[in-house]
Coordinates of all heavy atoms in Angstrom, one line a residue:
M1 N 0.8 -1.2 0.0 CA 0.0 0.0 0.0 C 0.9 1.2 0.0 O 1.8 1.4 0.8 CB -0.9 -0.1 1.3 CG -1.8 1.1 1.3 SD -3.0 0.7 2.7 CE -3.7 2.2 2.9
R2 N 0.6 2.1 -0.9 CA 1.4 3.3 -1.0 C 0.9 4.4 -0.1 O -0.3 4.6 0.1 CB 1.4 3.8 -2.5 CG 2.1 2.9 -3.4 CD 2.2 3.4 -4.8 NE 3.0 4.6 -4.8 CZ 3.1 5.4 -5.8 NH1 2.5 5.2 -6.9 NH2 3.9 6.5 -5.7
R3 N 1.8 5.2 0.4 CA 1.4 6.3 1.3 C 1.2 7.5 0.4 O 2.0 7.8 -0.5 CB 2.5 6.6 2.3 CG 2.6 5.4 3.3 CD 3.7 5.6 4.2 NE 3.7 7.0 4.7 CZ 4.1 7.4 5.9 NH1 4.6 6.5 6.7 NH2 4.1 8.6 6.3
T4 N 0.2 8.2 0.7 CA -0.1 9.4 -0.1 C 0.5 10.7 0.5 O 1.0 10.6 1.7 CB -1.7 9.7 -0.2 OG1 -2.1 9.9 1.1 CG2 -2.4 8.4 -0.8
H5 N 0.5 11.7 -0.2 CA 1.0 13.0 0.3 C 0.2 13.4 1.6 O 0.8 13.9 2.5 CB 0.9 14.1 -0.8 CG 1.2 15.5 -0.3 ND1 2.5 15.8 0.0 CD2 0.5 16.6 0.0 CE1 2.6 17.1 0.4 NE2 1.3 17.5 0.4
T6 N -1.1 13.2 1.6 CA -1.9 13.5 2.7 C -1.5 12.7 3.9 O -1.5 13.2 5.0 CB -3.4 13.3 2.4 OG1 -3.8 14.0 1.2 CG2 -4.3 13.6 3.5
D7 N -1.2 11.4 3.7 CA -0.8 10.5 4.8 C 0.5 11.1 5.4 O 0.7 11.1 6.6 CB -0.5 9.1 4.4 CG -1.8 8.4 4.0 OD1 -2.9 8.8 4.5 OD2 -1.7 7.4 3.2
Q8 N 1.5 11.4 4.5 CA 2.8 11.9 5.0 C 2.6 13.3 5.7 O 3.2 13.5 6.7 CB 3.7 12.1 3.8 CG 4.1 10.8 3.2 CD 4.9 10.9 1.9 OE1 4.9 12.0 1.3 NE2 5.6 9.9 1.5
R9 N 1.7 14.1 5.2 CA 1.5 15.4 5.9 C 0.9 15.2 7.2 O 1.3 15.9 8.2 CB 0.6 16.3 5.0 CG 0.4 17.7 5.5 CD -0.3 18.5 4.5 NE -0.6 19.8 5.1 CZ -0.5 20.9 4.5 NH1 -0.1 20.9 3.2 NH2 -0.8 22.0 5.0
S10 N -0.1 14.3 7.3 CA -0.7 14.0 8.6 C 0.3 13.5 9.6 O 0.3 13.8 10.8 CB -1.8 13.0 8.4 OG -2.4 12.7 9.6
E11 N 1.2 12.6 9.2 CA 2.2 12.0 10.0 C 3.2 13.1 10.5 O 3.6 13.2 11.6 CB 3.0 10.9 9.3 CG 4.0 10.2 10.2 CD 4.7 9.0 9.6 OE1 4.0 8.4 8.8 OE2 5.9 8.8 9.9
G12 N 3.5 14.0 9.6 CA 4.4 15.1 9.9 C 3.8 16.0 10.9 O 4.5 16.4 11.9
A13 N 2.5 16.3 10.8 CA 1.8 17.2 11.8 C 1.8 16.4 13.2 O 1.9 17.1 14.2 CB 0.4 17.5 11.4
W14 N 1.7 15.1 13.2 CA 1.7 14.4 14.4 C 3.0 14.4 15.1 O 3.2 14.6 16.3 CB 1.2 12.9 14.2 CG 1.2 12.1 15.4 CD1 2.0 11.1 15.7 CD2 0.3 12.3 16.5 NE1 1.7 10.6 17.0 CE2 0.6 11.3 17.5 CE3 -0.7 13.2 16.8 CZ2 0.0 11.2 18.7 CZ3 -1.4 13.0 18.0 CH2 -1.1 12.1 18.9
L15 N 4.1 14.2 14.3 CA 5.5 14.3 14.8 C 5.8 15.7 15.3 O 6.5 15.8 16.4 CB 6.5 13.8 13.8 CG 6.4 12.4 13.3 CD1 7.3 12.1 12.2 CD2 6.6 11.4 14.5
E16 N 5.3 16.7 14.6 CA 5.5 18.1 15.1 C 4.8 18.3 16.5 O 5.3 19.0 17.3 CB 5.1 19.1 14.1 CG 6.0 19.2 12.9 CD 5.6 20.3 11.9 OE1 4.4 20.8 12.0 OE2 6.4 20.6 11.0
A17 N 3.6 17.7 16.6 CA 2.9 17.8 17.9 C 3.6 17.2 19.0 O 3.7 17.7 20.1 CB 1.5 17.2 17.7
I18 N 4.2 16.0 18.7 CA 5.0 15.4 19.8 C 6.2 16.2 20.2 O 6.5 16.4 21.3 CB 5.5 14.0 19.3 CG1 4.3 13.0 19.1 CG2 6.5 13.4 20.2 CD1 4.6 11.7 18.4
T19 N 6.9 16.8 19.2 CA 8.0 17.7 19.4 C 7.6 18.9 20.2 O 8.3 19.4 21.1 CB 8.7 18.1 18.1 OG1 9.1 16.9 17.4 CG2 9.9 19.0 18.3
L20 N 6.4 19.4 19.9 CA 5.9 20.6 20.6 C 5.6 20.2 22.0 O 6.0 21.0 23.0 CB 4.6 21.1 19.9 CG 3.9 22.3 20.4 CD1 4.9 23.5 20.3 CD2 2.6 22.6 19.6
F21 N 5.0 19.1 22.3 CA 4.8 18.6 23.6 C 6.1 18.5 24.4 O 6.2 18.9 25.6 CB 4.1 17.2 23.6 CG 3.7 16.7 24.9 CD1 2.4 17.0 25.4 CD2 4.5 15.9 25.7 CE1 2.0 16.5 26.7 CE2 4.1 15.4 26.9 CZ 2.8 15.7 27.4
Q22 N 7.1 17.9 23.8 CA 8.4 17.8 24.4 C 9.0 19.2 24.8 O 9.6 19.4 25.8 CB 9.4 17.0 23.6 CG 9.0 15.5 23.5 CD 9.9 14.8 22.4 OE1 10.1 15.3 21.4 NE2 10.3 13.6 22.8
S23 N 8.9 20.1 23.8 CA 9.4 21.5 24.1 C 8.7 22.1 25.2 O 9.4 22.8 26.1 CB 9.3 22.3 22.8 OG 10.0 21.8 21.8
V24 N 7.4 22.0 25.3 CA 6.7 22.6 26.4 C 7.1 21.9 27.7 O 7.3 22.5 28.8 CB 5.2 22.5 26.2 CG1 4.4 22.9 27.4 CG2 4.8 23.4 25.0
R25 N 7.2 20.6 27.7 CA 7.6 19.8 28.9 C 8.9 20.3 29.4 O 9.2 20.4 30.6 CB 7.7 18.3 28.6 CG 8.1 17.5 29.8 CD 8.6 16.1 29.4 NE 9.7 16.2 28.6 CZ 10.3 15.2 27.9 NH1 9.7 14.0 28.1 NH2 11.3 15.3 27.2
D26 N 9.9 20.6 28.5 CA 11.2 21.0 28.8 C 11.3 22.5 29.1 O 12.4 23.1 29.3 CB 12.2 20.7 27.7 CG 12.3 19.2 27.5 OD1 12.0 18.4 28.4 OD2 12.7 18.8 26.4
A27 N 10.1 23.2 29.1 CA 10.0 24.7 29.3 C 10.8 25.4 28.2 O 11.3 26.5 28.5 CB 10.5 25.1 30.7
D28 N 11.0 24.9 27.1 CA 11.6 25.5 25.9 C 10.6 26.2 25.1 O 10.3 25.7 24.0 CB 12.5 24.5 25.2 CG 13.4 25.2 24.2 OD1 13.3 26.4 24.0 OD2 14.3 24.5 23.6
H29 N 10.0 27.3 25.6 CA 8.9 27.9 24.9 C 9.3 28.6 23.6 O 8.6 28.7 22.6 CB 8.3 29.0 25.8 CG 7.8 28.3 27.1 ND1 8.4 28.6 28.3 CD2 6.8 27.4 27.3 CE1 7.8 27.8 29.2 NE2 6.9 27.1 28.7
A30 N 10.6 29.0 23.5 CA 11.1 29.6 22.3 C 11.1 28.5 21.2 O 10.7 28.8 20.0 CB 12.5 30.2 22.5
A31 N 11.5 27.3 21.5 CA 11.5 26.2 20.5 C 10.1 25.9 20.1 O 9.8 25.6 18.9 CB 12.3 25.0 21.0
A32 N 9.2 25.9 21.0 CA 7.8 25.6 20.7 C 7.2 26.6 19.8 O 6.5 26.3 18.8 CB 7.0 25.5 22.0
A33 N 7.5 27.9 20.1 CA 7.0 28.9 19.2 C 7.6 28.9 17.8 O 6.9 29.1 16.8 CB 7.2 30.3 19.9
R34 N 8.9 28.6 17.8 CA 9.6 28.5 16.5 C 9.0 27.3 15.7 O 8.7 27.5 14.5 CB 11.0 28.3 16.7 CG 11.9 28.4 15.5 CD 13.4 28.5 15.9 NE 13.9 27.5 16.9 CZ 14.2 27.8 18.2 NH1 14.1 29.0 18.6 NH2 14.6 26.9 19.0
L35 N 8.7 26.2 16.3 CA 8.1 25.1 15.6 C 6.7 25.5 15.0 O 6.4 25.2 13.8 CB 7.9 23.9 16.5 CG 7.4 22.6 15.9 CD1 8.0 21.4 16.6 CD2 5.9 22.5 15.9
L36 N 5.9 26.2 15.8 CA 4.6 26.6 15.3 C 4.7 27.6 14.1 O 4.0 27.6 13.2 CB 3.7 27.2 16.4 CG 3.1 26.1 17.3 CD1 2.4 26.8 18.4 CD2 2.2 25.2 16.5
R37 N 5.7 28.5 14.3 CA 5.9 29.6 13.2 C 6.3 28.9 11.9 O 6.0 29.4 10.8 CB 6.9 30.6 13.6 CG 6.3 31.7 14.5 CD 7.3 32.9 14.6 NE 8.6 32.5 15.0 CZ 9.1 32.3 16.3 NH1 8.2 32.6 17.3 NH2 10.3 32.0 16.6
T38 N 7.1 27.9 12.0 CA 7.7 27.3 10.7 C 6.9 26.1 10.2 O 7.2 25.5 9.2 CB 9.1 26.9 11.0 OG1 9.2 25.9 12.0 CG2 10.0 28.1 11.3
S39 N 5.8 25.7 10.9 CA 5.1 24.5 10.5 C 4.3 24.8 9.3 O 3.8 25.9 9.1 CB 4.1 24.1 11.6 OG 3.3 23.0 11.2
S40 N 4.2 23.8 8.4 CA 3.4 24.0 7.2 C 1.9 23.8 7.5 O 1.0 24.2 6.7 CB 3.8 22.9 6.1 OG 3.5 21.6 6.6
D41 N 1.5 23.3 8.7 CA 0.1 23.2 9.1 C 0.0 23.4 10.6 O -0.3 22.4 11.3 CB -0.4 21.8 8.7 CG -1.9 21.6 8.7 OD1 -2.6 22.6 9.2 OD2 -2.4 20.6 8.3
P42 N 0.2 24.6 11.1 CA 0.1 24.8 12.5 C -1.2 24.5 13.2 O -1.3 24.1 14.3 CB 0.5 26.3 12.7 CG 0.3 26.9 11.3 CD 0.4 25.8 10.3
E43 N -2.3 24.7 12.4 CA -3.6 24.4 13.0 C -3.7 22.9 13.3 O -4.2 22.5 14.4 CB -4.7 24.8 12.1 CG -6.1 24.6 12.7 CD -7.2 25.2 11.8 OE1 -6.9 26.0 10.9 OE2 -8.4 24.8 12.0
T44 N -3.3 22.0 12.4 CA -3.4 20.6 12.7 C -2.4 20.2 13.8 O -2.7 19.3 14.6 CB -3.1 19.8 11.4 OG1 -4.0 20.2 10.4 CG2 -3.1 18.3 11.6
V45 N -1.2 20.8 13.8 CA -0.3 20.5 14.9 C -0.9 20.8 16.2 O -0.8 20.0 17.2 CB 1.1 21.3 14.7 CG1 2.0 21.1 15.9 CG2 1.8 20.8 13.4
M46 N -1.5 22.0 16.4 CA -2.2 22.4 17.6 C -3.3 21.4 18.0 O -3.5 21.0 19.1 CB -2.7 23.8 17.6 CG -1.6 24.8 17.8 SD -0.6 24.6 19.3 CE -1.9 24.8 20.5
L47 N -4.1 21.0 17.0 CA -5.2 20.1 17.2 C -4.6 18.8 17.7 O -5.1 18.2 18.7 CB -6.0 19.9 16.0 CG -7.2 18.9 16.1 CD1 -8.2 19.4 17.1 CD2 -7.8 18.7 14.7
N48 N -3.6 18.3 17.1 CA -2.9 17.1 17.6 C -2.4 17.2 19.0 O -2.5 16.3 19.8 CB -1.8 16.6 16.6 CG -2.3 16.1 15.3 OD1 -3.5 15.6 15.3 ND2 -1.5 16.1 14.3
L49 N -1.8 18.4 19.3 CA -1.3 18.6 20.7 C -2.4 18.6 21.6 O -2.3 17.9 22.7 CB -0.6 20.0 20.7 CG -0.1 20.4 22.1 CD1 1.0 19.4 22.6 CD2 0.4 21.8 22.2
L50 N -3.6 19.2 21.3 CA -4.7 19.1 22.2 C -5.2 17.7 22.4 O -5.7 17.3 23.5 CB -5.8 20.1 21.7 CG -5.4 21.6 21.7 CD1 -6.5 22.4 21.0 CD2 -5.1 22.0 23.1
R51 N -5.2 16.9 21.3 CA -5.6 15.5 21.4 C -4.7 14.8 22.4 O -5.1 14.0 23.2 CB -5.6 14.9 20.0 CG -6.7 15.4 19.1 CD -6.6 14.9 17.7 NE -6.5 13.4 17.6 CZ -5.8 12.8 16.6 NH1 -5.2 13.5 15.7 NH2 -5.7 11.5 16.6
M52 N -3.4 15.0 22.2 CA -2.4 14.4 23.1 C -2.6 14.8 24.6 O -2.6 13.9 25.5 CB -1.0 14.8 22.7 CG -0.4 14.1 21.5 SD 1.2 14.8 21.1 CE 2.1 14.1 22.5
L53 N -2.9 16.1 24.8 CA -3.1 16.6 26.2 C -4.4 15.9 26.7 O -4.4 15.6 27.9 CB -3.2 18.1 26.2 CG -1.9 18.8 26.0 CD1 -2.2 20.3 25.8 CD2 -1.0 18.6 27.1
G54 N -5.4 15.8 25.9 CA -6.6 15.1 26.4 C -6.4 13.7 26.9 O -6.8 13.3 27.9
V55 N -5.6 13.0 26.1 CA -5.2 11.6 26.5 C -4.4 11.6 27.8 O -4.7 10.9 28.7 CB -4.5 10.9 25.4 CG1 -3.9 9.5 25.8 CG2 -5.4 10.7 24.2
Y56 N -3.4 12.5 27.8 CA -2.6 12.6 29.0 C -3.4 13.0 30.3 O -3.2 12.4 31.3 CB -1.5 13.6 28.8 CG -0.6 13.9 29.9 CD1 0.4 13.0 30.3 CD2 -0.7 15.0 30.7 CE1 1.2 13.2 31.4 CE2 0.1 15.2 31.8 CZ 1.1 14.3 32.1 OH 1.9 14.5 33.2
L57 N -4.2 13.9 30.1 CA -5.0 14.4 31.3 C -6.0 13.4 31.8 O -6.4 13.5 33.0 CB -5.6 15.8 31.0 CG -4.6 16.9 30.8 CD1 -5.3 18.2 30.3 CD2 -3.8 17.2 32.0
R58 N -6.5 12.5 30.9 CA -7.4 11.5 31.4 C -6.8 10.7 32.5 O -7.6 10.1 33.3 CB -7.9 10.6 30.2 CG -9.1 11.2 29.5 CD -9.6 10.2 28.5 NE -9.4 10.7 27.2 CZ -9.0 10.1 26.2 NH1 -8.9 8.8 26.2 NH2 -8.8 10.7 25.0
G59 N -5.5 10.6 32.6 CA -4.9 9.8 33.6 C -4.7 10.5 34.9 O -4.2 9.9 35.9
E60 N -5.0 11.8 34.9 CA -4.9 12.5 36.2 C -6.2 12.5 37.0 O -7.2 12.4 36.4 CB -4.5 14.0 35.9 CG -3.1 14.2 35.3 CD -2.0 13.8 36.3 OE1 -2.3 13.9 37.5 OE2 -0.9 13.5 35.9
A61 N -6.0 12.6 38.3 CA -7.2 12.7 39.2 C -8.0 14.0 38.9 O -7.4 15.1 38.8 CB -6.8 12.6 40.6
P62 N -9.3 13.9 38.8 CA -10.1 15.1 38.5 C -9.9 16.2 39.5 O -9.9 17.4 39.1 CB -11.5 14.6 38.5 CG -11.4 13.1 38.2 CD -10.1 12.7 38.8
D63 N -9.8 15.9 40.8 CA -9.6 16.9 41.8 C -8.2 17.6 41.6 O -8.1 18.8 41.9 CB -9.8 16.4 43.2 CG -8.8 15.3 43.6 OD1 -8.5 14.5 42.7 OD2 -8.4 15.2 44.7
K64 N -7.2 16.9 41.2 CA -5.9 17.5 40.9 C -6.0 18.5 39.8 O -5.5 19.6 39.9 CB -4.9 16.4 40.6 CG -3.5 17.0 40.4 CD -2.6 15.8 40.1 CE -1.2 16.3 39.8 NZ -0.2 15.2 39.5
L65 N -6.8 18.2 38.7 CA -6.9 19.1 37.6 C -7.8 20.3 38.0 O -7.4 21.4 37.6 CB -7.6 18.3 36.4 CG -6.8 17.2 35.8 CD1 -7.6 16.5 34.7 CD2 -5.5 17.7 35.2
D66 N -8.8 20.1 38.8 CA -9.6 21.2 39.2 C -8.8 22.2 40.1 O -8.9 23.4 39.9 CB -10.8 20.7 40.0 CG -11.9 20.0 39.2 OD1 -11.8 20.2 37.9 OD2 -12.7 19.2 39.7
H67 N -7.9 21.6 40.9 CA -7.1 22.5 41.8 C -6.1 23.3 40.9 O -5.9 24.5 41.1 CB -6.3 21.6 42.8 CG -5.3 22.4 43.6 ND1 -5.7 23.3 44.6 CD2 -4.0 22.4 43.5 CE1 -4.6 23.8 45.1 NE2 -3.6 23.3 44.5
F68 N -5.6 22.6 39.9 CA -4.6 23.3 39.0 C -5.4 24.5 38.2 O -4.8 25.6 38.1 CB -4.0 22.3 38.0 CG -3.1 23.0 36.9 CD1 -1.9 23.3 37.3 CD2 -3.6 23.2 35.6 CE1 -1.0 23.9 36.4 CE2 -2.7 23.8 34.7 CZ -1.5 24.2 35.1
I69 N -6.6 24.2 37.7 CA -7.3 25.2 37.0 C -7.6 26.4 37.9 O -7.4 27.6 37.6 CB -8.6 24.6 36.4 CG1 -8.3 23.7 35.3 CG2 -9.5 25.7 35.9 CD1 -9.4 22.8 34.8
T70 N -8.1 26.1 39.2 CA -8.4 27.2 40.1 C -7.1 28.0 40.5 O -7.2 29.2 40.5 CB -8.9 26.5 41.4 OG1 -10.1 25.8 41.1 CG2 -9.3 27.6 42.5
A71 N -6.0 27.3 40.7 CA -4.8 28.0 41.0 C -4.3 28.8 39.8 O -3.8 29.9 40.0 CB -3.7 27.0 41.4
S72 N -4.5 28.3 38.6 CA -4.1 29.1 37.4 C -4.9 30.4 37.3 O -4.3 31.4 36.9 CB -4.3 28.2 36.2 OG -3.4 27.1 36.2
H73 N -6.2 30.3 37.6 CA -7.0 31.5 37.5 C -6.5 32.6 38.5 O -6.5 33.7 38.2 CB -8.5 31.2 37.8 CG -9.2 30.7 36.6 ND1 -9.5 31.4 35.5 CD2 -9.7 29.5 36.3 CE1 -10.1 30.7 34.6 NE2 -10.3 29.5 35.1
R74 N -6.2 32.1 39.7 CA -5.7 33.0 40.8 C -4.4 33.6 40.5 O -4.1 34.8 40.7 CB -5.6 32.3 42.1 CG -6.9 32.2 42.9 CD -6.7 31.8 44.3 NE -5.8 30.7 44.5 CZ -6.2 29.4 44.7 NH1 -7.5 29.1 44.8 NH2 -5.3 28.4 44.8
A75 N -3.5 32.8 39.9 CA -2.1 33.3 39.7 C -1.9 34.1 38.5 O -1.0 35.0 38.4 CB -1.2 32.1 39.7
G76 N -2.7 33.9 37.5 CA -2.4 34.5 36.2 C -1.3 33.9 35.5 O -0.7 32.9 35.9
P77 N -0.9 34.4 34.3 CA 0.2 33.8 33.5 C 1.5 33.9 34.2 O 1.8 34.9 34.9 CB 0.2 34.6 32.2 CG -0.5 35.8 32.5 CD -1.4 35.6 33.7
P78 N 2.4 32.9 34.0 CA 3.7 33.0 34.6 C 4.5 34.1 33.9 O 4.2 34.5 32.8 CB 4.3 31.6 34.4 CG 3.5 31.0 33.2 CD 2.2 31.7 33.3
P79 N 5.5 34.6 34.6 CA 6.3 35.6 34.0 C 7.1 35.1 32.8 O 7.4 33.9 32.7 CB 7.3 36.1 35.1 CG 7.3 34.9 36.1 CD 6.0 34.3 35.9
T80 N 7.4 36.0 31.8 CA 8.1 35.6 30.7 C 9.6 35.4 31.1 O 10.2 36.3 31.7 CB 8.0 36.7 29.6 OG1 6.7 36.9 29.3 CG2 8.8 36.2 28.3
P81 N 10.1 34.2 30.8 CA 11.5 34.0 31.2 C 12.5 34.9 30.5 O 12.2 35.2 29.3 CB 11.8 32.5 30.9 CG 10.8 32.2 29.9 CD 9.6 33.1 30.1
R82 N 13.5 35.3 31.1 CA 14.6 36.1 30.5 C 15.4 35.2 29.6 O 15.5 34.0 29.8 CB 15.5 36.7 31.5 CG 14.8 37.8 32.3 CD 15.8 38.4 33.2 NE 15.8 37.6 34.4 CZ 16.6 37.7 35.4 NH1 17.5 38.7 35.4 NH2 16.6 36.9 36.4
P83 N 16.0 35.7 28.5 CA 16.8 34.9 27.7 C 18.0 34.4 28.5 O 18.4 35.0 29.4 CB 17.3 35.8 26.5 CG 16.6 37.1 26.7 CD 15.9 37.1 28.0
P84 N 18.5 33.2 28.1 CA 19.6 32.7 28.9 C 20.9 33.6 28.7 O 21.0 34.2 27.7 CB 19.9 31.3 28.3 CG 19.1 31.3 27.0 CD 18.1 32.3 27.1
L85 N 21.6 33.6 29.7 CA 22.9 34.4 29.7 C 23.9 33.7 28.8 O 24.0 32.5 28.8 CB 23.4 34.7 31.1 CG 22.5 35.4 32.0 CD1 23.1 35.4 33.4 CD2 22.4 36.9 31.6
P86 N 24.7 34.5 28.1 CA 25.8 33.9 27.3 C 26.8 33.2 28.2 O 27.0 33.6 29.4 CB 26.4 35.0 26.5 CG 26.0 36.2 27.3 CD 24.8 36.0 28.0
P87 N 27.5 32.2 27.7 CA 28.4 31.5 28.5 C 29.6 32.4 28.9 O 30.0 33.3 28.1 CB 28.9 30.3 27.7 CG 28.5 30.6 26.3 CD 27.4 31.6 26.4
L88 N 30.2 32.2 30.0 CA 31.4 32.9 30.4 C 32.6 32.4 29.6 O 32.8 31.2 29.5 CB 31.6 32.8 31.9 CG 30.5 33.3 32.9 CD1 30.9 32.9 34.3 CD2 30.4 34.8 32.7
T89 N 33.4 33.4 29.2 CA 34.6 32.9 28.4 C 35.8 33.6 29.0 O 35.8 34.5 29.7 CB 34.5 33.4 26.9 OG1 34.2 34.7 26.8 CG2 33.4 32.6 26.2

């Protein structure tokens, strides 16, 4: 069975979503933003990321998620991290 261009594009968007998830997990927000800016299909990548998050979050206790949502509303967005300092030479 031959793979079509659509199959390859769909697989590419899935792999980009996995990379996006890893970047967010590693707190590398610049890499995550760069991936979305350069993606050929950012909407599908984000949809795939949301699907992944849905599966991941199903494994969490509902009260833990409710607490996280409540705390997020109270705290507001986290501060934007400063760029890393250059290495000492």
